[in-house]
Amino acid sequence: MNIKNLLILLTIGSLAPSTFAGEFSISNINVIGSEGNSNGRQSNDPGDDGTIKPDEGSGTEFQSQNCRERIKANNTLTMDELSILNGGQLPILEPHSKTKFRVEFNRLATKCVHLKVNRILDNENNHIVNFENLKNFAKEDLHFTAEELKQDVSSLISNMSMDEKITRCLIKHNYLVKKGSGYEMDRNNEKFESISKTPNLQEDFNPEKSSKFLFASPVTDRNDYITYKDKVIDDKEGKWACTKIQEYGIKEGSEDESKYAFVSQYDRDWQLARAACESAVDGDIYAVERLISKDTGNSSELQRRLKDVYARLLAKDLKSKSEEIVTKIEDKLAQLEKYNDPTSKKDKRKAREIAREIQSLSRRYNKEIAEPAKQVLAQSLAAYEEIEDVDSDAARNTRDILENRIETVTEALAGLSDIEMTDGVEVMKVHNLHSTGKDLLAAYASSSELSRVCLDCDGQQDMEDAEDNIAKRIKKYNKEDKRDWSFVSQAARGKETPMYLTQQLYTNAQKNMQNQYSQFQQNEYKKYQEYCASSMFGGMKNPIRCQYWQNSQSMRMKMFESKMKGLQQDVQGYNQKYSYYQSYYDAAQRRMAEENDREVASLNVGASPYDSFSILGNTNMAPNQSSMYNMGTPQFAMPLMQGR
């Protein structure tokens, strides 16, 4: 061996262990393998090597004298060392209950660690943790080169940093394999173990305030985790000496969120609110509604803000969406008008196809326009009432916002009820497409009624009246209009049944009016005779009751007039219906008479002033319209009690 090589060997043999620190360092380890898979052994009780021992500490400031020696003596782990011991990922720290938190190692190299978890509270209720590796590394725990084994191994170990001990241990126990100039760790190595513990939270933490996890890292550790320069721990000689406070696992510039030891109910509510709002941004605006109705507890301020956010989300683009749907409904109704022949199979088929599209659009209008608008109006009007009497710049600004929002919504609603749909609806009646009619009516009624739930507009009404009117209109459709549509369809195909049945109803209604009138006359005459007629002794039978009966005559007449007016409207309605059916029947007869020409006769059916869905005309009666109603005051009721 030449002199040069001999000098090199002598030099290597005399080097301190730090000469190999670059090779035996966690910075020289590359981690591979799936982060979601763990093929390591499962252990609920890891024994001495994997035990996590919670402990408490105290203090607020540190001193940096002899920190390197102090950190080494305390066996304090850096986040990077902790991560590499867990297969390249930091252990999970998260809330477990109101009194415990969970520490979970998915892939812990238990041959190289004996962990202890220390924690204290800072003045902001945050849990500061640090990890000690109490593993007593011996010769058999660490990897040594052949040259190192010729030296005093105990002396070598005493001079090693924690970083070097961990790396050599991982090599020794086959957690690492040599790759080029460095080492490779496979996260799916079966030697890793899974360990989970639930230490107690600090007893003096405030459960009304959320508590983060912060990490006490050695001051000598150079890393890019977020550091709190204003947080220091005063512990010159203890386990917290020479540590700096950092965010647990969160790098500078990262958008990751802090880990929590405990989350207060208030913050839980806000986290749900933020998640719901993020879902709303992605298109699921009803996530906010679900949050309002189910998840936010009793926080009135949170509820108020969420409701306002939800109202703004619902009102956004409501007008353009409404115009889109209304335009499509109007186009489909115009298409439907062409297929009005009740005897044509083609017309019936095409009418049904178009009616299905109208039905789908009507349901979409109710779901995407009417229902959201109803919620916006209810919330906005309630909020407006709360601030109506408040006089401040903020209140005035809020009022302006709410007024604009309400006006925008009512304008969006008005579109559907303003379009001409009579001719299209008439074709629905001819083909008895009553299911489509009901859905279109629901949309029409919502448009008509909700557009008048406003702050200052014609026919202004409140939400309760609007909803009542919508419900009444749909109830009338179910009770009367659906049957009338069936009669229109029958008459349009030349059947006399609708006229026959309506005539019977008309006759019965007339008889009922006559009976009611006769009964009223009889009752009045009977009471007059009972109270006001002369007795056998020449005086009035019951002067006091007679006086009371005559004084209440005006009230009784008004009640009777109101009742008779309703009965008269029934009679008039049946008369209108008969004429309506008759017009369709006559058209059918003309159509059959012109069978050779196959030309469809004009129906010439007048539109209803009420709405396109009802076959009745205006039922408001003009004065003196009916001789039966305008009966005057009965002669027997005229005499007044004379003073005797």
Side-chain angles (χ1 to χ4, degrees):
M1 179 179 296
N2 60 38
I3 298 297
K4 181 178 180 181
N5 290 336
L6 179 61
L7 289 173
I8 291 173
L9 288 175
L10 290 173
T11 303
I12 292 174
S14 63
L15 289 175
S18 59
T19 304
F20 293 97
E23 179 181 353
F24 300 124
S25 169
I26 61 174
S27 62
N28 211 23
I29 299 172
N30 180 41
V31 181
I32 64 170
S34 169
E35 294 185 359
N37 259 346
S38 174
N39 297 322
R41 294 182 288 120
Q42 302 293 312
S43 172
N44 291 323
D45 186 5
D48 290 342
D49 282 343
T51 301
I52 299 173
K53 299 179 179 179
D55 200 355
E56 289 77 34
S58 62
T60 56
E61 243 181 71
F62 74 81
Q63 299 292 330
S64 59
Q65 292 88 342
N66 303 316
C67 274
R68 193 172 298 278
E69 292 77 11
R70 171 54 59 189
I71 291 167
K72 184 177 180 181
N74 286 345
N75 299 306
T76 307
L77 291 175
T78 68
M79 267 188 274
D80 289 337
E81 291 166 350
L82 186 63
S83 174
I84 207 69
L85 285 169
N86 189 44
Q89 276 189 330
L90 285 169
I92 295 170
L93 293 182
E94 63 183 11
H96 180 71
S97 68
K98 292 182 178 181
T99 58
K100 296 177 180 291
F101 65 94
R102 183 166 70 100
V103 185
E104 182 176 330
F105 293 83
N106 291 324
R107 296 168 177 82
L108 186 62
T110 53
K111 298 292 185 182
C112 301
V113 65
H114 180 175
L115 283 174
K116 180 180 180 182
V117 183
N118 306 306
R119 62 196 185 282
I120 57 174
L121 284 176
D122 67 8
N123 56 5
E124 295 178 339
N125 205 48
N126 296 315
H127 278 66
I128 303 175
V129 298
N130 80 354
F131 288 79
E132 295 179 65
N133 186 3
L134 302 181
K135 174 75 175 179
N136 185 18
F137 291 99
K139 177 181 178 180
E140 59 272 16
D141 294 313
L142 303 173
H143 167 77
F144 293 95
T145 65
E147 292 300 324
E148 288 174 328
L149 289 174
K150 296 176 182 179
Q151 303 178 43
D152 181 357
V153 172
S154 297
S155 177
L156 291 175
I157 294 174
S158 65
N159 289 318
M160 288 180 186
S161 66
M162 180 61 69
D163 179 302
E164 188 174 352
K165 289 178 183 178
I166 290 172
T167 305
R168 288 176 180 268
C169 180
L170 293 172
I171 297 170
K172 176 70 174 182
H173 294 288
N174 300 315
Y175 292 104
L176 303 178
V177 294
K178 185 69 175 175
K179 284 288 183 179
S181 60
Y183 295 89
E184 187 173 84
M185 172 185 284
D186 186 354
R187 289 176 51 79
N188 296 324
N189 191 327
E190 293 184 355
K191 291 182 175 293
F192 289 119
E193 296 188 33
S194 177
I195 297 170
S196 179
K197 291 293 182 180
T198 53
N200 291 326
L201 293 167
Q202 294 287 89
E203 292 182 359
D204 53 343
F205 91 101
N206 180 6
E208 299 299 320
K209 185 179 180 182
S210 294
S211 179
K212 291 182 181 180
F213 278 121
L214 302 178
F215 189 84
S217 182
V219 292
T220 57
D221 178 35
R222 295 182 179 181
N223 59 57
D224 56 355
Y225 294 106
I226 295 173
T227 301
Y228 290 91
K229 295 181 179 179
D230 59 333
K231 292 181 182 290
V232 291
I233 301 175
D234 182 13
D235 187 16
K236 298 178 182 179
E237 304 295 332
K239 69 194 80 172
W240 299 95
C242 297
T243 56
K244 58 186 175 184
I245 310 307
Q246 296 186 298
E247 280 277 3
Y248 183 68
I250 302 180
K251 305 266 186 176
E252 294 283 356
S254 170
E255 294 183 359
D256 292 342
E257 297 181 357
S258 299
K259 308 296 187 299
Y260 279 87
F262 174 80
V263 182
S264 69
Q265 187 59 50
Y266 183 83
D267 283 339
R268 288 176 192 272
D269 291 343
W270 276 109
Q271 287 174 3
L272 288 168
R274 182 172 61 180
C277 290
E278 288 173 352
S279 297
V281 171
D282 293 334
D284 183 15
I285 64 174
Y286 297 103
V288 182
E289 180 191 32
R290 292 191 293 272
L291 184 65
I292 293 170
S293 60
K294 296 179 181 178
D295 299 322
T296 54
N298 297 317
S299 175
S300 58
E301 175 64 12
L302 177 57
Q303 286 280 340
R304 186 190 66 76
R305 293 190 183 185
L306 281 173
K307 288 177 180 178
D308 185 67
V309 168
Y310 185 50
R312 281 189 280 127
L313 289 170
L314 289 177
K316 185 177 181 291
D317 302 327
L318 193 67
K319 188 173 183 179
S320 60
K321 291 179 183 177
S322 175
E323 289 174 349
E324 174 199 349
I325 297 173
V326 169
T327 299
K328 289 181 179 179
I329 291 176
E330 191 171 19
D331 290 343
K332 294 300 175 183
L333 286 169
Q335 293 176 29
L336 192 61
E337 294 174 18
K338 297 183 292 184
Y339 304 103
N340 64 349
D341 186 351
T343 63
S344 168
K345 291 183 178 180
K346 175 187 174 182
D347 279 18
K348 189 171 185 178
R349 184 183 71 254
K350 292 295 293 183
R352 284 179 175 175
E353 290 176 3
I354 298 171
R356 280 194 290 268
E357 296 180 70
I358 293 173
Q359 186 172 40
S360 176
L361 288 167
S362 300
R363 291 176 177 176
R364 184 182 163 198
Y365 182 91
N366 277 319
K367 180 180 179 181
E368 297 181 16
I369 307 301
E371 288 303 320
K374 193 183 299 182
Q375 296 182 61
V376 174
L377 290 172
Q379 189 274 334
S380 300
L381 289 169
Y384 192 86
E385 289 180 4
E386 289 179 5
I387 63 167
E388 192 171 9
D389 297 329
V390 180
D391 188 18
S392 67
D393 290 341
R396 283 190 290 272
N397 182 56
T398 303
R399 274 195 293 270
D400 289 341
I401 292 172
L402 292 172
E403 287 170 1
N404 290 333
R405 185 182 301 166
I406 292 167
E407 183 178 358
T408 299
V409 172
T410 53
E411 286 179 357
L413 285 165
L416 182 60
S417 58
D418 286 342
I419 68 172
E420 176 55 54
M421 59 178 67
T422 299
D423 292 340
V425 172
E426 288 299 321
V427 177
M428 290 186 202
K429 295 175 187 176
V430 167
H431 296 293
N432 196 22
L433 302 173
H434 58 80
S435 178
T436 297
K438 181 179 179 179
D439 285 317
L440 182 56
L441 170 62
Y444 169 90
S446 294
S447 170
S448 176
E449 299 295 338
L450 292 175
S451 62
R452 293 189 288 119
V453 179
C454 51
L455 293 173
D456 184 17
C457 64
D458 294 338
Q460 180 180 345
Q461 62 182 352
D462 60 28
M463 181 64 71
E464 185 177 352
D465 288 338
E467 291 183 326
D468 285 346
N469 291 338
I470 293 169
K472 287 176 182 176
R473 186 64 194 91
I474 295 173
K475 182 179 179 180
K476 178 183 180 298
Y477 183 88
N478 291 331
K479 185 178 179 181
E480 300 178 21
D481 295 334
K482 188 166 69 172
R483 179 195 60 198
D484 292 337
W485 281 35
S486 175
F487 280 5
V488 169
S489 181
Q490 292 178 51
R493 287 180 282 118
K495 295 186 178 182
E496 296 181 345
T497 304
M499 283 80 72
Y500 172 77
L501 293 176
T502 305
Q503 188 176 35
Q504 293 298 313
L505 292 170
Y506 176 84
T507 301
N508 292 337
Q510 280 189 318
K511 288 180 179 179
N512 185 36
M513 262 189 89
Q514 292 169 349
N515 291 336
Q516 292 289 336
Y517 180 67
S518 297
Q519 185 65 46
F520 179 78
Q521 286 182 318
Q522 292 172 14
N523 288 339
E524 289 293 301
Y525 182 76
K526 179 180 177 181
K527 295 298 182 183
Y528 177 80
Q529 290 295 326
E530 184 177 349
Y531 304 142
C532 302
S534 298
S535 67
M536 66 177 60
F537 302 107
M540 190 177 292
K541 288 183 178 180
N542 193 334
I544 296 176
R545 294 299 299 271
C546 179
Q547 179 72 50
Y548 175 79
W549 179 78
Q550 288 191 341
N551 289 343
S552 62
Q553 183 183 35
S554 176
M555 180 184 67
R556 292 196 308 277
M557 286 300 299
K558 287 181 180 179
M559 293 175 62
F560 176 67
E561 287 174 1
S562 177
K563 183 176 183 180
M564 293 302 289
K565 183 176 180 179
L567 294 174
Q568 175 66 15
Q569 287 175 344
D570 289 343
V571 172
Q572 183 185 11
Y574 290 130
N575 184 49
Q576 283 186 339
K577 287 183 179 183
Y578 185 92
S579 299
Y580 190 77
Y581 303 144
Q582 184 72 48
S583 66
Y584 275 104
Y585 177 79
D586 291 344
Q589 294 301 309
R590 291 195 302 272
R591 182 183 293 109
M592 287 185 283
E594 299 168 358
E595 188 173 2
N596 291 334
D597 295 334
R598 307 301 300 168
E599 290 181 359
V600 179
S602 175
L603 298 180
N604 295 323
V605 179
S608 163
Y610 182 70
D611 63 41
S612 303
F613 302 86
S614 173
I615 67 172
L616 293 182
N618 189 354
T619 56
N620 294 327
M621 298 186 58
N624 304 316
Q625 185 173 359
S626 169
S627 59
M628 183 170 288
Y629 168 68
N630 191 22
M631 295 176 182
T633 305
Q635 291 300 313
F636 58 77
M638 291 300 294
L640 298 177
M641 183 181 72
Q642 302 294 326
R644 296 181 182 269

